[in-house]
Amino acid sequence: MAAPRSPRTGLRVPRPAAFGVDPGGERMARIRRSPHFRDGVFQNPGGPARTRPSGSARAFARVYFDRESRLGRAPQGTVPVHATTLADLARPSATGLRLTWTGHSSVLAEIDGQRVLFDPVWGERCSPFPFAGPKRLHPAPVPLASLGPVDVVVISHDHYDHLDLPTIKALAGTDTLFAVPLGVGAHLEHWGVPAGRLRELDWHESTRVGGLTLTATPARHFCGRGLRNTQHTLWASWVVAGEEHRVYHSGDTGYFDGFRDIGAAHGPFDATMIQIGAYAEFWPDIHMTPEEGIRAHLDLQGGAPGGALLPIHWGTFNLAPHAWAEPGEWTKDAAEEAGQAVALPRPGEPFEPAGKLPVEPWWRAVSGPIAHPWRRPRGAQGAAETSRGDLDLAGDR
């Protein structure tokens, strides 16, 4: 693809490699044949979704650049990551299913003897540039090379916090396969992944990798990496089913009725990995709040608590106005209210959904107070105390 011209000089400006490339040729022809592609773009389930901040730019700036809000969006100390080793991960899972959350949406799932790596991001920034953009709030808890062999890498969509150029280039040098949504394979081929190691799927399509069946399922989000967003790459959630276990990874998505359909077709799940961070009132259609994440998990399980929920898409990058630890704190509350088992591992801490779940609120050691506006006060006296009591703080629990 030709580099863009500078409007002032007419010179060609090099296109950053991290932008990737737009799909073309037979890949683009396949995209046009997709039942989810219409009017030149991929369509969301449930109708159009707002992909840009709603409301006025002034209102967004007032919230995002507020001094107190900015201070809350970073930890007040060193995030306590778990120093996982190659030896830890080489030990076979006792139950046949083990999950290791390495931060944000990156999860290593060891399922029925095979290893699946979801949305791996080991780069320092989720950005096309090494000098700008959201920077990690904690280091990767384990070097990428120390994960050991991976059977398949699963990508949910092509945003920088889910599809990371340096990580993909490192994995391209291995023999792992890549399962990606329709169109995303263009980026990976451009970065050195051979076409023969790509499994590129539309929603409701499946592929087999060893004893696993991987199915791309709908999500409510959007795509894009360059200066213009062509909406020619698909976004997806994923179901991975083995002989004994099955898991679900939401990718990025707003809440929608389709979770019930996914659960009916592929569930129930031993574990779900659900996006509960980077939400805001300015983009309610494309990310879920913790309460919506719990609701999505229950939908996937047929309407009742079941399996284990692993919250993802939080704690690693500052991508929204909320406090960095708020998603963990609020998910813990919402899960307790729903009677749903939730795993809250430190980044890098392996756990088995059928075993003892990590539940300690580790973030409180490096977080400011987190409001719980829905909680009833303890022994409040009068309206003034009721108002104050509803802002219960994490440190009071």
Side-chain angles (χ1 to χ4, degrees):
M1 181 175 179
R5 290 181 180 274
S6 165
R8 292 186 177 179
T9 65
L11 298 175
R12 292 190 178 276
V13 179
R15 177 186 173 100
F19 279 8
V21 295
D22 292 333
E26 176 51 35
R27 179 175 277 117
M28 192 64 214
R30 186 181 169 204
I31 287 169
R32 291 192 178 99
R33 293 193 298 268
S34 168
H36 311 110
F37 189 80
R38 189 172 66 253
D39 300 328
V41 296
F42 280 110
Q43 304 290 324
N44 263 305
R50 289 166 289 176
T51 59
R52 296 181 182 277
S54 59
S56 72
R58 180 178 298 179
F60 176 74
R62 188 183 303 120
V63 171
Y64 197 81
F65 294 107
D66 173 76
R67 182 177 181 276
E68 186 175 343
S69 173
R70 288 203 319 273
L71 290 174
R73 291 201 301 271
Q76 299 178 353
T78 301
V79 174
V81 301
H82 180 88
T84 307
T85 67
L86 180 59
D88 292 332
L89 297 175
R91 189 178 303 116
S93 161
T95 63
L97 177 62
R98 181 168 58 199
L99 302 180
T100 305
W101 176 58
T102 62
H104 203 57
S105 295
S106 305
V107 183
L108 175 67
E110 299 168 89
I111 175 170
D112 295 344
Q114 295 191 266
R115 309 174 97 233
V116 182
L117 183 59
F118 292 96
D119 283 357
V121 173
W122 260 252
E124 274 300 301
R125 296 182 186 271
C126 50
S127 165
F129 308 109
F131 53 84
K135 192 175 182 180
R136 299 184 71 96
L137 299 175
H138 64 81
V142 56
L144 187 60
S146 293
L147 287 182
V150 172
D151 294 292
V152 57
V153 173
V154 175
I155 303 296
S156 64
H157 64 296
D158 68 359
H159 285 160
Y160 291 100
D161 56 324
H162 297 259
L163 181 62
D164 178 55
L165 170 61
T167 304
I168 296 300
K169 284 202 163 187
L171 290 166
T174 70
D175 59 359
T176 186
L177 299 175
F178 292 81
V180 302
L182 197 54
V184 174
H187 299 312
L188 273 64
E189 281 194 64
H190 183 63
W191 298 334
V193 177
R197 283 170 42 204
L198 289 173
R199 304 291 185 270
E200 201 163 344
L201 306 183
D202 201 347
W203 291 340
H204 309 299
E205 292 182 343
S206 298
T207 188
R208 292 280 294 178
V209 175
L212 302 179
T213 299
L214 292 82
T215 305
T217 46
R220 189 164 166 79
H221 200 57
F222 68 113
C223 63
R225 293 181 74 84
L227 297 177
R228 61 190 182 91
N229 186 354
T230 63
Q231 294 289 81
H232 286 172
T233 59
L234 188 59
W235 47 97
S237 58
W238 287 87
V239 170
V240 178
E243 293 182 4
E244 301 292 336
H245 298 90
R246 57 186 59 222
V247 299
Y248 171 86
H249 189 285
S250 72
D252 276 3
T253 181
Y255 179 81
F256 70 117
D257 290 342
F259 291 115
R260 287 192 289 270
D261 298 330
I262 295 169
H266 303 282
F269 298 97
D270 298 283
T272 68
M273 296 154 269
I274 303 286
Q275 173 261 306
I276 50 86
Y279 49 84
E281 60 184 299
F282 300 101
W283 48 83
D285 296 343
I286 55 172
H287 282 165
M288 291 191 291
T289 65
E291 185 275 332
E292 289 172 324
I294 297 294
R295 198 189 322 164
H297 173 89
L298 295 177
D299 287 351
L300 290 160
Q301 301 292 62
L309 186 157
L310 171 63
I312 60 171
H313 203 263
W314 74 287
T316 303
F317 297 107
N318 176 354
L319 301 176
H322 61 65
W324 80 275
E326 183 180 282
E329 191 72 42
W330 285 12
T331 299
K332 181 175 173 64
D333 268 10
E336 288 173 357
E337 183 175 325
Q340 172 57 51
V342 62
L344 300 166
R346 291 168 174 80
E349 181 180 3
F351 72 95
E352 306 206 13
K356 183 179 179 181
L357 299 182
V359 296
E360 179 190 351
W362 52 267
W363 56 85
R364 292 181 185 169
V366 289
S367 169
I370 303 295
H372 298 75
W374 52 83
R375 216 187 264 167
R376 302 313 304 161
R378 298 190 186 96
Q381 299 176 5
E385 288 196 27
T386 298
S387 175
R388 185 171 64 253
D390 277 349
L391 248 151
D392 194 6
L393 303 179
D396 297 335
R397 299 185 65 185

